[in-house]
Amino acid sequence: MELRQLEHFVTVADERHFTRAAELLQISQSGLSASIRALETELGTSLFVRSTRRVELTAAGQALLADSIRTLASAAAAQNAVAAVRGLVRGRLTVGAEPCLGAIDLPAELGRFRVANPGVEVRLRYDGSVEHLENVASGLTDVALVVATGPVPQGVRLRRMSSQKLVVLCHPEHPFAGAAEVDIESLHREPMIGFQQGWGAQVLSRRAFAAAGFDFRASMEVNDVHPLLDLVEYNLGVAIVPASFAAKRPDSLRSVALPDDMPEWTVAVAVANEPSPAATAFLDQLFESPIQASSSIDSSSVESVTSAA
């Protein structure tokens, strides 16, 4: 069993697709398939259930995945430690982010990092905050830009970047448009437009509804801010979003305040307790100084995350 084979296996497991995995690994699909077959032969079991559209892990594959991630992370850490002694930052930086966080210009920051650290391969993936936190905990992601939504997995810490209020976004002709404030009881009777499960606004909305004794159910779900704005603009429902979203279309949409006890939209950087040299270099760039323990969010409870804002 070789490290190269484990990297191939983890990439296929992550992508659930041989073609996409081969593109990421920059090898031929036939070469990737041969590598996986050789690994399966050595282990004496199938690791994937293959179909024409995607692949899924078998029970054996699921058992192998966590140890494979740890093995690859340990090997990378050893290589990076040697490079750090030589004053070099090398290896791979995998960044996760929830779209439209508004705290930083992420493409610009990644561009700066690549210029300053040409020996580091940079990868980027957009998804919901909950999944990014889990990926940082498992070692699949080095640094994640997320919405702080409560307790974080063991081995992960957060550093706050910015906070803002949540508001209700609606069509100018909606009855809410002229209100000074909208409460949860009024909102739960309206068609809601929201993000998919695990995204920051969805988690915070669900928590606020639950505190008021209601279930949060979006009649329409999206995975990007622009479709959400389009749906609200066509008066198909209302949405709970950070205030900065409303500023994207001030002429065609209206924002209405929510009660003061609503959770805040706090953008934070998630990183492992012992980040890689590449991750540390990227964090230093983001904050222009080394991370200090006092800057971390105490994420042992929901209240402490929101109060840290």
Side-chain angles (χ1 to χ4, degrees), residues 206-238:
R206 188 178 61 201
R207 181 173 298 132
F209 270 57
F214 303 108
D215 290 331
F216 176 79
R217 295 178 180 174
S219 57
M220 299 184 181
E221 291 187 342
V222 299
N223 62 357
D224 187 70
V225 62
H226 299 291
L228 179 142
L229 298 178
D230 291 338
L231 293 170
V232 176
E233 194 167 342
Y234 278 102
N235 207 11
L236 292 168
V238 300

mmCIF file of all heavy atoms in Angstrom, residues 206-238:
data_model
loop_
_atom_site.group_PDB
_atom_site.id
_atom_site.type_symbol
_atom_site.label_atom_id
_atom_site.label_comp_id
_atom_site.label_asym_id
_atom_site.label_seq_id
_atom_site.Cartn_x
_atom_site.Cartn_y
_atom_site.Cartn_z
ATOM 1 N N ARG A 206 -33.224 28.204 11.753
ATOM 2 C CA ARG A 206 -33.860 27.061 12.408
ATOM 3 C C ARG A 206 -33.786 27.206 13.927
ATOM 4 O O ARG A 206 -34.744 26.898 14.647
ATOM 5 C CB ARG A 206 -33.173 25.776 11.955
ATOM 6 C CG ARG A 206 -33.873 24.501 12.423
ATOM 7 C CD ARG A 206 -33.141 23.291 11.883
ATOM 8 N NE ARG A 206 -31.775 23.240 12.367
ATOM 9 C CZ ARG A 206 -30.802 22.554 11.786
ATOM 10 N NH1 ARG A 206 -31.033 21.881 10.673
ATOM 11 N NH2 ARG A 206 -29.587 22.540 12.303
ATOM 12 N N ARG A 207 -32.641 27.689 14.431
ATOM 13 C CA ARG A 207 -32.481 27.854 15.875
ATOM 14 C C ARG A 207 -33.430 28.929 16.405
ATOM 15 O O ARG A 207 -34.043 28.771 17.464
ATOM 16 C CB ARG A 207 -31.038 28.221 16.203
ATOM 17 C CG ARG A 207 -30.781 28.397 17.692
ATOM 18 C CD ARG A 207 -29.307 28.586 17.978
ATOM 19 N NE ARG A 207 -28.574 27.406 17.552
ATOM 20 C CZ ARG A 207 -27.465 27.447 16.816
ATOM 21 N NH1 ARG A 207 -26.965 28.610 16.443
ATOM 22 N NH2 ARG A 207 -26.848 26.347 16.469
ATOM 23 N N ALA A 208 -33.560 30.038 15.666
ATOM 24 C CA ALA A 208 -34.440 31.116 16.108
ATOM 25 C C ALA A 208 -35.898 30.671 16.106
ATOM 26 O O ALA A 208 -36.668 30.988 17.033
ATOM 27 C CB ALA A 208 -34.257 32.341 15.211
ATOM 28 N N PHE A 209 -36.306 29.935 15.091
ATOM 29 C CA PHE A 209 -37.680 29.427 15.032
ATOM 30 C C PHE A 209 -37.937 28.455 16.183
ATOM 31 O O PHE A 209 -38.999 28.498 16.812
ATOM 32 C CB PHE A 209 -37.925 28.735 13.694
ATOM 33 C CG PHE A 209 -38.452 29.645 12.614
ATOM 34 C CD1 PHE A 209 -37.752 30.781 12.232
ATOM 35 C CD2 PHE A 209 -39.652 29.369 11.986
ATOM 36 C CE1 PHE A 209 -38.227 31.625 11.239
ATOM 37 C CE2 PHE A 209 -40.145 30.212 10.999
ATOM 38 C CZ PHE A 209 -39.432 31.342 10.622
ATOM 39 N N ALA A 210 -36.981 27.576 16.453
ATOM 40 C CA ALA A 210 -37.149 26.598 17.526
ATOM 41 C C ALA A 210 -37.290 27.289 18.879
ATOM 42 O O ALA A 210 -38.100 26.869 19.722
ATOM 43 C CB ALA A 210 -35.970 25.627 17.547
ATOM 44 N N ALA A 211 -36.522 28.357 19.090
ATOM 45 C CA ALA A 211 -36.606 29.085 20.362
ATOM 46 C C ALA A 211 -37.982 29.715 20.553
ATOM 47 O O ALA A 211 -38.437 29.905 21.684
ATOM 48 C CB ALA A 211 -35.519 30.167 20.415
ATOM 49 N N ALA A 212 -38.653 30.048 19.422
ATOM 50 C CA ALA A 212 -39.984 30.636 19.488
ATOM 51 C C ALA A 212 -41.089 29.579 19.462
ATOM 52 O O ALA A 212 -42.277 29.922 19.486
ATOM 53 C CB ALA A 212 -40.180 31.613 18.332
ATOM 54 N N GLY A 213 -40.690 28.297 19.377
ATOM 55 C CA GLY A 213 -41.670 27.219 19.408
ATOM 56 C C GLY A 213 -42.209 26.809 18.052
ATOM 57 O O GLY A 213 -43.272 26.185 17.963
ATOM 58 N N PHE A 214 -41.466 27.134 16.969
ATOM 59 C CA PHE A 214 -41.919 26.808 15.617
ATOM 60 C C PHE A 214 -40.854 26.023 14.870
ATOM 61 O O PHE A 214 -39.659 26.076 15.218
ATOM 62 C CB PHE A 214 -42.239 28.083 14.823
ATOM 63 C CG PHE A 214 -43.268 28.963 15.466
ATOM 64 C CD1 PHE A 214 -42.904 30.172 16.052
ATOM 65 C CD2 PHE A 214 -44.603 28.588 15.490
ATOM 66 C CE1 PHE A 214 -43.839 30.992 16.645
ATOM 67 C CE2 PHE A 214 -45.558 29.405 16.082
ATOM 68 C CZ PHE A 214 -45.173 30.602 16.665
ATOM 69 N N ASP A 215 -41.267 25.309 13.838
ATOM 70 C CA ASP A 215 -40.336 24.633 12.943
ATOM 71 C C ASP A 215 -40.005 25.557 11.779
ATOM 72 O O ASP A 215 -40.906 26.210 11.226
ATOM 73 C CB ASP A 215 -40.936 23.335 12.386
ATOM 74 C CG ASP A 215 -41.072 22.264 13.453
ATOM 75 O OD1 ASP A 215 -40.266 22.286 14.402
ATOM 76 O OD2 ASP A 215 -41.977 21.424 13.323
ATOM 77 N N PHE A 216 -38.727 25.607 11.411
ATOM 78 C CA PHE A 216 -38.334 26.378 10.234
ATOM 79 C C PHE A 216 -38.337 25.455 9.030
ATOM 80 O O PHE A 216 -37.598 24.462 8.992
ATOM 81 C CB PHE A 216 -36.932 26.982 10.422
ATOM 82 C CG PHE A 216 -36.441 27.704 9.186
ATOM 83 C CD1 PHE A 216 -36.895 28.975 8.891
ATOM 84 C CD2 PHE A 216 -35.547 27.092 8.309
ATOM 85 C CE1 PHE A 216 -36.452 29.640 7.760
ATOM 86 C CE2 PHE A 216 -35.103 27.748 7.179
ATOM 87 C CZ PHE A 216 -35.561 29.026 6.905
ATOM 88 N N ARG A 217 -39.171 25.778 8.057
ATOM 89 C CA ARG A 217 -39.248 24.986 6.838
ATOM 90 C C ARG A 217 -39.273 25.923 5.636
ATOM 91 O O ARG A 217 -40.201 26.723 5.495
ATOM 92 C CB ARG A 217 -40.491 24.094 6.831
ATOM 93 C CG ARG A 217 -40.483 23.023 7.921
ATOM 94 C CD ARG A 217 -41.748 22.196 7.901
ATOM 95 N NE ARG A 217 -41.723 21.187 8.948
ATOM 96 C CZ ARG A 217 -42.752 20.393 9.238
ATOM 97 N NH1 ARG A 217 -43.877 20.509 8.551
ATOM 98 N NH2 ARG A 217 -42.646 19.499 10.208
ATOM 99 N N ALA A 218 -38.265 25.829 4.811
ATOM 100 C CA ALA A 218 -38.215 26.652 3.610
ATOM 101 C C ALA A 218 -38.974 25.961 2.485
ATOM 102 O O ALA A 218 -38.754 24.779 2.211
ATOM 103 C CB ALA A 218 -36.771 26.896 3.192
ATOM 104 N N SER A 219 -39.869 26.704 1.844
ATOM 105 C CA SER A 219 -40.589 26.135 0.708
ATOM 106 C C SER A 219 -39.715 26.053 -0.526
ATOM 107 O O SER A 219 -39.960 25.249 -1.422
ATOM 108 C CB SER A 219 -41.841 26.969 0.409
ATOM 109 O OG SER A 219 -41.496 28.323 0.161
ATOM 110 N N MET A 220 -38.672 26.880 -0.584
ATOM 111 C CA MET A 220 -37.707 26.854 -1.674
ATOM 112 C C MET A 220 -36.312 26.945 -1.082
ATOM 113 O O MET A 220 -36.048 27.808 -0.240
ATOM 114 C CB MET A 220 -37.931 28.014 -2.653
ATOM 115 C CG MET A 220 -39.287 27.996 -3.322
ATOM 116 S SD MET A 220 -39.462 29.330 -4.552
ATOM 117 C CE MET A 220 -41.145 29.043 -5.097
ATOM 118 N N GLU A 221 -35.420 26.062 -1.509
ATOM 119 C CA GLU A 221 -34.050 26.037 -1.002
ATOM 120 C C GLU A 221 -33.064 26.283 -2.139
ATOM 121 O O GLU A 221 -33.252 25.782 -3.257
ATOM 122 C CB GLU A 221 -33.735 24.693 -0.347
ATOM 123 C CG GLU A 221 -34.489 24.455 0.953
ATOM 124 C CD GLU A 221 -34.028 23.188 1.645
ATOM 125 O OE1 GLU A 221 -33.400 22.338 0.985
ATOM 126 O OE2 GLU A 221 -34.303 23.044 2.858
ATOM 127 N N VAL A 222 -32.020 27.035 -1.849
ATOM 128 C CA VAL A 222 -30.986 27.353 -2.831
ATOM 129 C C VAL A 222 -29.616 27.112 -2.207
ATOM 130 O O VAL A 222 -29.496 26.899 -1.001
ATOM 131 C CB VAL A 222 -31.092 28.819 -3.305
ATOM 132 C CG1 VAL A 222 -32.435 29.075 -3.983
ATOM 133 C CG2 VAL A 222 -30.927 29.776 -2.122
ATOM 134 N N ASN A 223 -28.578 27.163 -3.040
ATOM 135 C CA ASN A 223 -27.214 27.003 -2.531
ATOM 136 C C ASN A 223 -26.324 28.174 -2.935
ATOM 137 O O ASN A 223 -25.111 28.053 -2.976
ATOM 138 C CB ASN A 223 -26.605 25.683 -3.009
ATOM 139 C CG ASN A 223 -26.479 25.607 -4.513
ATOM 140 O OD1 ASN A 223 -26.893 26.516 -5.237
ATOM 141 N ND2 ASN A 223 -25.906 24.521 -5.015
ATOM 142 N N ASP A 224 -26.973 29.315 -3.215
ATOM 143 C CA ASP A 224 -26.204 30.515 -3.551
ATOM 144 C C ASP A 224 -27.097 31.724 -3.301
ATOM 145 O O ASP A 224 -28.333 31.630 -3.405
ATOM 146 C CB ASP A 224 -25.728 30.485 -5.001
ATOM 147 C CG ASP A 224 -24.779 31.633 -5.312
ATOM 148 O OD1 ASP A 224 -23.645 31.611 -4.809
ATOM 149 O OD2 ASP A 224 -25.187 32.556 -6.038
ATOM 150 N N VAL A 225 -26.481 32.854 -3.004
ATOM 151 C CA VAL A 225 -27.259 34.037 -2.650
ATOM 152 C C VAL A 225 -28.041 34.604 -3.828
ATOM 153 O O VAL A 225 -29.161 35.102 -3.670
ATOM 154 C CB VAL A 225 -26.344 35.121 -2.040
ATOM 155 C CG1 VAL A 225 -25.284 35.575 -3.027
ATOM 156 C CG2 VAL A 225 -27.165 36.314 -1.562
ATOM 157 N N HIS A 226 -27.511 34.537 -5.035
ATOM 158 C CA HIS A 226 -28.165 35.197 -6.169
ATOM 159 C C HIS A 226 -29.502 34.558 -6.541
ATOM 160 O O HIS A 226 -30.483 35.288 -6.775
ATOM 161 C CB HIS A 226 -27.206 35.252 -7.358
ATOM 162 C CG HIS A 226 -25.965 36.039 -7.053
ATOM 163 N ND1 HIS A 226 -25.986 37.408 -6.871
ATOM 164 C CD2 HIS A 226 -24.676 35.647 -6.855
ATOM 165 C CE1 HIS A 226 -24.759 37.831 -6.589
ATOM 166 N NE2 HIS A 226 -23.949 36.780 -6.575
ATOM 167 N N PRO A 227 -29.618 33.216 -6.590
ATOM 168 C CA PRO A 227 -30.954 32.637 -6.786
ATOM 169 C C PRO A 227 -31.927 33.007 -5.667
ATOM 170 O O PRO A 227 -33.112 33.215 -5.926
ATOM 171 C CB PRO A 227 -30.683 31.126 -6.817
ATOM 172 C CG PRO A 227 -29.258 30.993 -7.221
ATOM 173 C CD PRO A 227 -28.575 32.175 -6.626
ATOM 174 N N LEU A 228 -31.434 33.104 -4.436
ATOM 175 C CA LEU A 228 -32.300 33.504 -3.330
ATOM 176 C C LEU A 228 -32.849 34.907 -3.565
ATOM 177 O O LEU A 228 -34.048 35.155 -3.404
ATOM 178 C CB LEU A 228 -31.527 33.427 -2.012
ATOM 179 C CG LEU A 228 -32.307 33.833 -0.756
ATOM 180 C CD1 LEU A 228 -31.946 32.947 0.423
ATOM 181 C CD2 LEU A 228 -32.027 35.298 -0.385
ATOM 182 N N LEU A 229 -31.980 35.829 -3.973
ATOM 183 C CA LEU A 229 -32.428 37.196 -4.237
ATOM 184 C C LEU A 229 -33.428 37.230 -5.386
ATOM 185 O O LEU A 229 -34.403 37.983 -5.345
ATOM 186 C CB LEU A 229 -31.224 38.084 -4.562
ATOM 187 C CG LEU A 229 -30.174 38.247 -3.447
ATOM 188 C CD1 LEU A 229 -29.019 39.108 -3.924
ATOM 189 C CD2 LEU A 229 -30.792 38.839 -2.191
ATOM 190 N N ASP A 230 -33.195 36.410 -6.408
ATOM 191 C CA ASP A 230 -34.124 36.349 -7.544
ATOM 192 C C ASP A 230 -35.511 35.902 -7.086
ATOM 193 O O ASP A 230 -36.532 36.484 -7.485
ATOM 194 C CB ASP A 230 -33.611 35.376 -8.612
ATOM 195 C CG ASP A 230 -32.363 35.885 -9.320
ATOM 196 O OD1 ASP A 230 -32.132 37.111 -9.303
ATOM 197 O OD2 ASP A 230 -31.637 35.056 -9.892
ATOM 198 N N LEU A 231 -35.567 34.862 -6.264
ATOM 199 C CA LEU A 231 -36.854 34.327 -5.811
ATOM 200 C C LEU A 231 -37.609 35.335 -4.952
ATOM 201 O O LEU A 231 -38.828 35.486 -5.074
ATOM 202 C CB LEU A 231 -36.623 33.026 -5.031
ATOM 203 C CG LEU A 231 -36.094 31.847 -5.860
ATOM 204 C CD1 LEU A 231 -35.672 30.704 -4.944
ATOM 205 C CD2 LEU A 231 -37.135 31.370 -6.859
ATOM 206 N N VAL A 232 -36.893 36.035 -4.078
ATOM 207 C CA VAL A 232 -37.533 37.069 -3.269
ATOM 208 C C VAL A 232 -38.011 38.211 -4.155
ATOM 209 O O VAL A 232 -39.093 38.774 -3.948
ATOM 210 C CB VAL A 232 -36.568 37.582 -2.183
ATOM 211 C CG1 VAL A 232 -37.206 38.741 -1.411
ATOM 212 C CG2 VAL A 232 -36.190 36.471 -1.219
ATOM 213 N N GLU A 233 -37.222 38.547 -5.158
ATOM 214 C CA GLU A 233 -37.582 39.644 -6.055
ATOM 215 C C GLU A 233 -38.857 39.342 -6.843
ATOM 216 O O GLU A 233 -39.610 40.255 -7.202
ATOM 217 C CB GLU A 233 -36.422 39.930 -7.014
ATOM 218 C CG GLU A 233 -36.542 41.239 -7.753
ATOM 219 C CD GLU A 233 -35.262 41.649 -8.454
ATOM 220 O OE1 GLU A 233 -34.188 41.111 -8.110
ATOM 221 O OE2 GLU A 233 -35.339 42.509 -9.344
ATOM 222 N N TYR A 234 -39.135 38.066 -7.097
ATOM 223 C CA TYR A 234 -40.369 37.671 -7.764
ATOM 224 C C TYR A 234 -41.508 37.441 -6.762
ATOM 225 O O TYR A 234 -42.560 36.919 -7.116
ATOM 226 C CB TYR A 234 -40.145 36.413 -8.602
ATOM 227 C CG TYR A 234 -39.544 36.701 -9.955
ATOM 228 C CD1 TYR A 234 -38.187 36.485 -10.188
ATOM 229 C CD2 TYR A 234 -40.324 37.204 -10.997
ATOM 230 C CE1 TYR A 234 -37.617 36.758 -11.428
ATOM 231 C CE2 TYR A 234 -39.767 37.482 -12.240
ATOM 232 C CZ TYR A 234 -38.416 37.257 -12.450
ATOM 233 O OH TYR A 234 -37.857 37.535 -13.677
ATOM 234 N N ASN A 235 -41.278 37.831 -5.508
ATOM 235 C CA ASN A 235 -42.292 37.768 -4.455
ATOM 236 C C ASN A 235 -42.800 36.345 -4.203
ATOM 237 O O ASN A 235 -43.972 36.125 -3.903
ATOM 238 C CB ASN A 235 -43.474 38.675 -4.799
ATOM 239 C CG ASN A 235 -44.201 39.170 -3.540
ATOM 240 O OD1 ASN A 235 -43.710 39.000 -2.422
ATOM 241 N ND2 ASN A 235 -45.365 39.775 -3.722
ATOM 242 N N LEU A 236 -41.855 35.383 -4.298
ATOM 243 C CA LEU A 236 -42.208 33.987 -4.046
ATOM 244 C C LEU A 236 -42.058 33.601 -2.581
ATOM 245 O O LEU A 236 -42.365 32.477 -2.197
ATOM 246 C CB LEU A 236 -41.342 33.073 -4.917
ATOM 247 C CG LEU A 236 -41.632 33.173 -6.423
ATOM 248 C CD1 LEU A 236 -40.549 32.457 -7.227
ATOM 249 C CD2 LEU A 236 -42.994 32.576 -6.733
ATOM 250 N N GLY A 237 -41.579 34.517 -1.783
ATOM 251 C CA GLY A 237 -41.403 34.255 -0.365
ATOM 252 C C GLY A 237 -40.494 35.297 0.242
ATOM 253 O O GLY A 237 -40.028 36.224 -0.442
ATOM 254 N N VAL A 238 -40.232 35.143 1.538
ATOM 255 C CA VAL A 238 -39.313 36.036 2.246
ATOM 256 C C VAL A 238 -38.140 35.212 2.749
ATOM 257 O O VAL A 238 -38.211 33.980 2.826
ATOM 258 C CB VAL A 238 -40.008 36.754 3.411
ATOM 259 C CG1 VAL A 238 -41.165 37.595 2.902
ATOM 260 C CG2 VAL A 238 -40.499 35.746 4.458
#
